[in-house]
Amino acid sequence: MTSSARGSGRILGTLRSADGKGIVRMEDRFDTDIDDLWSALTDPRRLARWLGEVEGDLRLGGEFRARFFASGWEGTGRVAACEPPQHLLVLTEQPGQPDEHVIEVTLAAGGDQTILVWEERGMPLDHLAAYGAGIQVHVEDLAAHIAGRERGDADARWGEILPAYQDLAANAG
């Protein structure tokens, strides 16, 4: 991975809104090929090393249950699109939340690297900054996994980058 090293002040995300809901978009480059990055995003054994516990059917149309380490999110989801190794679209639900949440990941080969675009849509606008910081922590945990490192201290990193995402959220309208 090229740039989202732990402890750096670099912000990977942009924030915006549409139809009264928040959108977080992350983009970064990883020092690995597209098939390896796709595997890290879709193989439950690899997901358990950086993202969280995922159980169920991870094929197109399949349903799953997950608990993410860094953010503590727990809920269910459904694979709405799966086009290996370039496009994954997941719809998630969280107990007590009325709307589905969309996680869309696209990968593109870029020389010796792979470009990742991770976009999440559907979060409440008043939580947009927190989601931005949390999603960046997830992307950084993926980078650590690809580089053969352990996940970092999610709470400390979230607190470190949250002020920058609060500034972005103030202008996301």
Side-chain angles (χ1 to χ4, degrees):
M1 204 222 33
T2 59
S3 54
S4 63
R6 290 271 179 194
S8 77
R10 183 163 179 267
I11 298 301
L12 302 175
T14 58
L15 307 178
R16 67 183 198 280
S17 65
D19 301 322
K21 295 291 183 179
I23 301 168
V24 176
R25 178 186 169 95
M26 300 283 153
E27 185 170 345
D28 208 356
R29 292 178 169 267
F30 290 76
D31 288 329
T32 192
D33 66 60
I34 195 169
D35 292 317
D36 181 51
L37 193 54
W38 179 261
S39 172
L41 291 164
T42 59
D43 179 334
R45 293 179 309 261
R46 292 188 70 186
L47 287 166
R49 290 186 214 136
W50 68 272
L51 181 63
E53 299 164 351
V54 180
E55 298 175 347
D57 186 358
L58 296 179
R59 295 175 296 161
L60 181 60
E63 295 182 356
F64 62 89
R65 171 169 275 304
R67 184 181 67 80
F68 293 173
F69 299 132
S71 64
W73 176 83
E74 288 188 56
T76 59
R78 178 174 47 87
V79 179
C82 184
E83 301 158 21
Q86 296 152 332
H87 182 240
L88 181 65
L89 180 69
V90 174
L91 306 176
T92 65
E93 295 180 8
Q94 185 172 351
Q97 299 293 325
D99 298 321
E100 284 186 318
H101 185 96
V102 177
I103 302 172
E104 185 169 18
V105 177
T106 57
L107 303 178
D112 293 341
Q113 298 177 321
T114 301
I115 301 163
L116 169 122
V117 175
W118 178 317
E119 186 171 285
E120 293 197 28
R121 301 183 292 275
M123 68 277 301
L125 290 175
D126 59 337
H127 292 99
L128 190 56
Y131 273 94
I135 295 165
Q136 178 161 332
V137 170
H138 289 313
V139 172
E140 289 178 354
D141 285 346
L142 172 60
H145 170 69
I146 293 296
R149 299 186 316 266
E150 294 294 317
R151 290 182 291 115
D153 181 336
D155 291 338
R157 183 61 175 152
W158 186 85
E160 183 180 314
I161 60 179
L162 180 62
Y165 278 102
Q166 288 170 326
D167 290 345
L168 289 173
N171 299 313

